[in-house]
């Protein structure tokens, strides 16, 4: 898979944005990480092995391109580290990860300066059997492996390590001056959405809608919107959203709107994502009321 450049438009739900498919049961948060950066790798375990009742051990084999700095202990588990391998083992059946209970196992390290893809192979041991999440998909086939390794996209500097899902723009009829854009954002290492631009609007800002007494008001967020590490932040009608004002053209259902999202990390490094966002609420999305509330 090629690594996108900051000026490349990314169609939503392309391979980069939808990495970490539903079939994978030990995964890293989607969104990737910047080449050469410090990275906290949080491996998420979704359920026990087939026909098992609990996960009793997790062993991560480290790929070239990731230099281990440390591992986070887990209460009731024994942590051990050796060359290119880190293991957690439950001390008893009571502290094991039960059934479909979700758990995180966290490593800290430094990433390679070279953009590309890193694969972390993870052995999941259970009270009955084991699952070795170690298969790497072939580049020349779309077939998904049964036991995929955990994938990390290492991104070139300037490309935001932020996952974008379920994005859409509300349609706007001729003469309408504004509309909104909505999506779900996840930044594995944390970030702040500090700006938006688009050629279809004179003004694009990150806004918040909330009740002020008995009146719904909307205001711009001058400091941007915080994206805590590994937490999904929803931009949705009636809450946080991207406001597009001084529209230069009708925003018609079935079309797409180019959006450039600008981010900043805790170290002050700036990055961007270039998106083409479909117009029209997807099935199941609440369209919400039209924007026209008082500021």
């Amino acid at each position: 898979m090629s690594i996108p450049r900051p000026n490349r438009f990314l169609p939503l739900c392309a391979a980069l944005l939808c990495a970490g498919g539903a079939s994978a049961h030990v995964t890293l948060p989607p969104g990737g990480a910047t080449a050469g950066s410090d990275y906290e790798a949080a491996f998420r375990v979704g359920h026990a092995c087939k026909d098992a009742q609990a996960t009793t051990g997790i062993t991560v084999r480290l790929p070239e391109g990731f230099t281990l700095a440390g591992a986070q202990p887990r209460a009731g588990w024994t942590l051990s580290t050796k060359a290119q391998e880190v293991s957690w083992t439950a001390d008893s059946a009571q502290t094991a990860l039960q059934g479909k209970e979700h758990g995180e196992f966290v490593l800290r390290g430094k990433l390679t300066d070279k953009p590309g893809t890193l694969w972390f192979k993870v052995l999941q041991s259970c009270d009955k059997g084991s699952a070795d999440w170690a298969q790497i998909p072939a580049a020349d086939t779309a077939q998904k492996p049964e036991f995929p390794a955990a994938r990390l996209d290492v991104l070139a500097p300037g490309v935001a390590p932020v996952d974008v899902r379920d994005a859409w723009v509300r349609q706007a009829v001729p003469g309408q001056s504004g509309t909104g854009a909505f999506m779900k954002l996840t930044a594995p290492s944390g970030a702040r959405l500090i700006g938006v631009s688009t050629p279809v609007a004179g003004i694009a800002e990150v806004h918040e809608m909330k009740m002020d007494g008995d009146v719904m008001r909307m205001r711009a967020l001058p400091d941007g919107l915080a994206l805590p590490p590994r937490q999904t932040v929803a931009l949705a009608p009636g809450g946080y959203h991207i406001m597009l004002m001084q529209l230069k053209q009708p925003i018609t259902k079935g079309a797409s709107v180019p959006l450039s999202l600008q981010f900043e990390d805790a170290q002050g490094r700036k990055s961007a994502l270039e998106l083409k966002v479909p117009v029209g609420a997807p099935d199941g999305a609440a369209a919400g009321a039209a924007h026209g509330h008082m500021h």
Side-chain angles (χ1 to χ4, degrees):
M1 173 183 172
S2 61
I3 297 299
R5 297 180 176 85
N7 62 353
R8 174 182 170 187
F9 283 98
L10 298 177
L12 291 173
C13 285
L16 176 65
L17 298 182
C18 296
S23 63
H25 301 303
V26 177
T27 59
L28 287 167
T34 302
S37 69
D38 295 325
Y39 177 65
E40 191 170 83
F43 296 88
R44 187 172 188 267
V45 179
H47 57 68
C49 313
K50 184 179 179 181
D51 300 326
Q53 299 300 313
T55 296
T56 58
I58 292 291
T59 298
V60 179
R61 287 99 85 190
L62 306 177
E64 291 186 15
F66 180 85
T67 303
L68 181 67
Q72 182 175 301
R74 184 180 176 90
W77 293 62
T78 297
L79 173 64
S80 61
T81 303
K82 57 184 180 181
Q84 296 302 107
E85 190 173 283
V86 179
S87 297
W88 293 263
T89 305
D91 295 337
S92 67
Q94 287 70 38
T95 61
L97 197 61
Q98 301 298 316
K100 295 184 179 180
E101 180 184 354
H102 294 173
E104 278 191 345
F105 297 80
V106 182
L107 302 175
R108 299 181 305 278
K110 184 85 169 181
L111 293 176
T112 175
D113 292 331
K114 182 180 179 181
T117 303
L118 295 183
W119 298 96
F120 292 78
K121 298 179 179 181
V122 183
L123 176 64
Q124 178 185 13
S125 301
C126 296
D127 59 331
K128 181 179 180 181
S130 63
D132 194 6
W133 303 96
Q135 296 174 343
I136 298 174
D140 58 351
T141 178
Q143 184 176 0
K144 295 181 180 179
E146 185 178 1
F147 293 95
R151 172 180 181 152
L152 175 64
D153 290 312
V154 181
L155 307 175
V159 180
V162 177
D163 183 65
V164 182
R165 295 179 188 247
D166 303 335
W168 60 283
V169 175
R170 182 186 285 115
Q171 64 191 93
V173 300
Q176 188 172 333
S177 62
T179 190
F182 315 97
M183 61 196 68
K184 296 175 183 176
L185 301 175
T186 308
S189 300
R192 183 174 290 273
L193 175 61
I194 60 171
V196 188
S197 61
T198 176
V200 307
I203 299 174
E205 296 176 336
V206 184
H207 279 208
E208 178 186 25
M209 292 183 71
K210 64 179 182 179
M211 294 300 297
D212 180 7
D214 58 355
V215 178
M216 179 71 81
R217 298 185 185 275
M218 182 169 63
R219 68 181 183 95
L221 299 178
D223 298 324
L225 177 63
L227 306 177
R230 304 195 297 276
Q231 294 183 26
T232 298
V233 176
L235 279 64
Y240 297 122
H241 60 279
I242 293 171
M243 189 68 195
L244 307 180
M245 298 173 284
Q246 298 178 10
L247 294 177
K248 301 177 182 180
Q249 62 189 62
I251 308 298
T252 57
K253 187 174 178 62
S256 62
V257 172
L259 286 180
S260 177
L261 306 185
Q262 290 88 47
F263 300 90
E264 184 176 86
D265 66 14
Q267 289 72 44
R269 292 185 294 253
K270 292 181 170 57
S271 57
L273 278 182
E274 308 293 337
L275 310 173
K276 285 189 175 179
V277 181
V279 177
D283 292 342
H291 289 280
H293 302 282
M294 294 178 61
H295 285 251

